[in-house]
Amino acid sequence: MNALVATNRNFKLAVRLLGLDSKLEKSLLIPFREIKVECTIPKDDGTLASFVGFRVQHDNARGPMKGGIRYHQEVDPDEVNALAQLMTWKTAVANIPYGGAKGGIGCNPGDLSVSELERLTRVFTQKIHDLIGIHTDVPAPDMGTGPQTMAWILDEYSKFHGYSPAVVTGKPIDLGGSLGRDAATGRGVLFATEALLNEYGKSISGQRFVIQGFGNVGSWAAQLISEQGGKIVAVSDITGAIKNKNGIHIPSLLKHAKEHKGVKGFHGGDPIDPKSILVEDCDILIPAALGGVINRENANEIKAKFIIEAANHPTDPEADEILSKKGVVILPDIYANSGGVTVSYFEWVQNIQGFLWDEEKVNTELKTYMTKGFKDVKEMCKAHNCDLRMGAFTLGVNRVARATVLRGWEA
């Protein structure tokens, strides 16, 4: 099941639970604006190449729209729509003053040189500069983009509007990026996990974790969890998977993964089939890679008692039902991985203030937001007698609906 179908399904369930009328439901679903632009650049060999750039701006009832820009050859309009909508609910759950957006360029960044990527990014910015802005729509990095991409967007945008560091987040520190942004999603996963375990009278220390995905989010989560005394018994990434029932030594694994571009060949654990990673024996499973990895094929085999969704949309709705019958508690992506967008908000705030926070302040504020977020989700669960996923969705949808009505926008 693709992300759009699942997101719409969760949205509709939330609307029913909240008892919203059909006119309001319709106005909450329709995107505010969809932008599609042609980006033609000279390649390094002198030939011209054309690419399609787009931006879906879903909702701005609660503030400027926020969301990533991805460079990927298969940029599917439906998926982008789903991700823009998901950002609307995610920013509302996190209680930060944003709406949702998503965008990108249909290209394979691996096939382009750095100077071609720079030209492409600048042309794209020229085409959309009057449709994004500090108080309109604030892009961020996503698949295939990073701090350097944001630096080019900032520079190009500033040629039209004057120096505006707050127009994008995820920037290099030297251009107004925030300290702690790199670790933010992984650190948010730690705080979310702590909040959930606290509910059950447990702590991170002594729990056994399995982490699927060892990119930015997975590796930071692993590092921070092991520092808190959590035992990481298995890890996988695109190169392979390793297991050590006594706990993997994470600092050594980080060093190995950096040197060998992956976890494969690490000597502090036994190699296992990456396909079996999700069904390894553990207390807490953290999918931190792709969507749709937990499905009806493997849901019955999962041994974890808790699943923390660090990836976007890792659990299919069918798997959701199977797991909830088994009593597995799932902490949904819309809350669990919101640490990244929360620290993006802190970056934007610092840029507007023209005042840099130290890293301790960033991390303290993030913990406050994540802890309060969990409390808010739990209250919705109690009010509507539902699981954590629907608790988070009703919380997000309700906040956006209230803002929409208060602004007099409902149809």
Side-chain angles (χ1 to χ4, degrees):
M1 185 183 285
N2 72 18
L4 184 63
V5 176
T7 306
N8 281 341
R9 179 177 174 274
N10 290 331
F11 169 73
K12 286 195 162 59
L13 284 168
V15 166
R16 299 290 162 271
L17 282 172
L18 292 163
L20 305 181
D21 68 45
S22 58
K23 276 184 177 171
L24 183 55
E25 175 182 355
K26 195 178 166 196
S27 80
L28 287 174
L29 258 194
I30 298 169
F32 168 76
R33 176 162 54 193
E34 293 188 32
I35 302 150
K36 196 172 182 182
V37 293
E38 184 186 28
C39 301
T40 305
I41 59 157
K43 305 248 323 215
D44 292 343
D45 62 9
T47 59
L48 289 178
S50 273
F51 302 91
V52 177
F54 54 90
R55 185 83 175 155
V56 174
Q57 298 176 328
H58 178 255
D59 190 280
N60 60 357
R62 297 181 64 257
M65 292 161 290
K66 187 96 193 72
I69 288 181
R70 52 176 56 182
Y71 288 2
H72 194 265
Q73 58 270 50
E74 294 151 39
V75 175
D76 170 36
D78 273 356
E79 188 185 19
V80 175
N81 246 311
L83 293 169
Q85 190 199 129
L86 206 55
M87 283 303 295
T88 297
W89 317 133
K90 182 179 283 189
T91 50
V93 171
N95 211 10
I96 53 180
Y98 287 142
K102 205 73 173 187
I105 299 175
C107 69
N108 182 354
D111 293 347
L112 299 171
S113 70
V114 173
S115 58
E116 286 167 343
L117 282 168
E118 177 174 355
R119 286 196 289 277
L120 182 56
T121 304
R122 289 181 183 277
V123 167
F124 182 50
T125 309
Q126 287 164 19
K127 297 277 175 107
I128 65 164
H129 76 88
D130 52 351
L131 300 169
I132 61 172
I134 298 170
H135 300 293
T136 313
D137 177 7
V138 182
D142 200 315
M143 279 161 62
T145 58
Q148 181 58 69
T149 322
M150 297 305 109
W152 292 327
I153 295 175
L154 161 62
D155 183 69
E156 199 61 32
Y157 181 87
S158 296
K159 290 175 186 175
F160 297 95
H161 302 274
Y163 182 60
S164 319
V167 74
V168 286
T169 59
K171 298 182 293 294
I173 303 288
D174 296 328
L175 285 178
S178 177
L179 298 169
R181 176 67 191 86
D182 188 44
T185 311
R187 194 176 293 277
V189 167
L190 169 78
F191 294 148
T193 307
E194 283 181 331
L196 176 65
L197 290 176
N198 191 30
E199 196 64 20
Y200 290 85
K202 299 177 192 284
S203 67
I204 299 268
S205 184
Q207 298 293 322
R208 296 168 308 142
F209 290 81
V210 165
I211 300 179
Q212 182 200 35
F214 206 65
N216 170 281
V217 182
S219 61
W220 272 111
Q223 185 181 333
L224 297 165
I225 285 165
S226 69
E227 283 170 9
Q228 294 291 324
K231 190 196 278 190
I232 290 149
V233 294
V235 170
S236 75
D237 68 5
I238 203 155
T239 64
I242 47 158
K243 171 185 179 178
N244 182 339
K245 66 176 195 300
N246 299 318
I248 295 164
H249 187 254
I250 298 298
S252 312
L253 179 60
L254 288 165
K255 189 166 174 278
H256 173 91
K258 199 174 174 188
E259 286 166 6
H260 299 89
K261 305 252 184 299
V263 302
K264 192 180 177 184
F266 179 65
H267 295 309
D270 303 318
I272 53 167
D273 178 5
K275 288 192 181 69
S276 74
I277 188 88
L278 298 167
V279 300
E280 285 297 326
D281 186 27
C282 65
D283 303 308
I284 298 159
L285 173 62
I286 305 183
L290 296 169
V293 292
I294 300 172
N295 46 46
R296 61 167 180 238
E297 270 78 62
N298 59 13
N300 273 314
E301 310 296 311
I302 286 175
K303 300 176 185 69
K305 301 171 195 70
F306 301 96
I307 296 175
I308 314 290
E309 295 188 333
N312 280 319
H313 187 65
T315 317
D316 271 0
E318 294 134 324
D320 245 352
E321 283 181 31
I322 296 167
L323 290 162
S324 79
K325 285 195 182 104
K326 283 175 63 172
V328 178
V329 177
I330 302 175
L331 198 59
D333 52 359
I334 186 177
Y335 161 72
N337 67 23
S338 63
V341 72
T342 303
V343 175
S344 280
Y345 162 60
F346 299 163
E347 180 178 335
W348 180 77
V349 168
Q350 291 169 76
N351 295 151
I352 290 172
Q353 287 182 333
F355 181 81
L356 186 68
W357 299 358
D358 63 29
E359 193 168 345
E360 193 186 350
K361 179 170 167 69
V362 173
N363 294 341
T364 307
E365 290 287 344
L366 175 59
K367 184 162 192 176
T368 304
Y369 269 78
M370 295 298 297
T371 310
K372 175 82 170 77
F374 183 76
K375 214 168 120 250
D376 294 345
V377 170
K378 280 303 284 188
E379 274 174 20
M380 284 310 251
C381 292
K382 288 195 185 93
H384 298 288
N385 190 21
C386 60
D387 65 5
L388 288 164
R389 189 180 312 282
M390 284 328 296
F393 256 88
T394 49
L395 176 66
V397 172
N398 193 39
R399 280 178 174 156
V400 179
R402 286 214 309 252
T404 304
V405 171
L406 284 167
R407 293 183 72 159
W409 289 0
E410 81 273 35

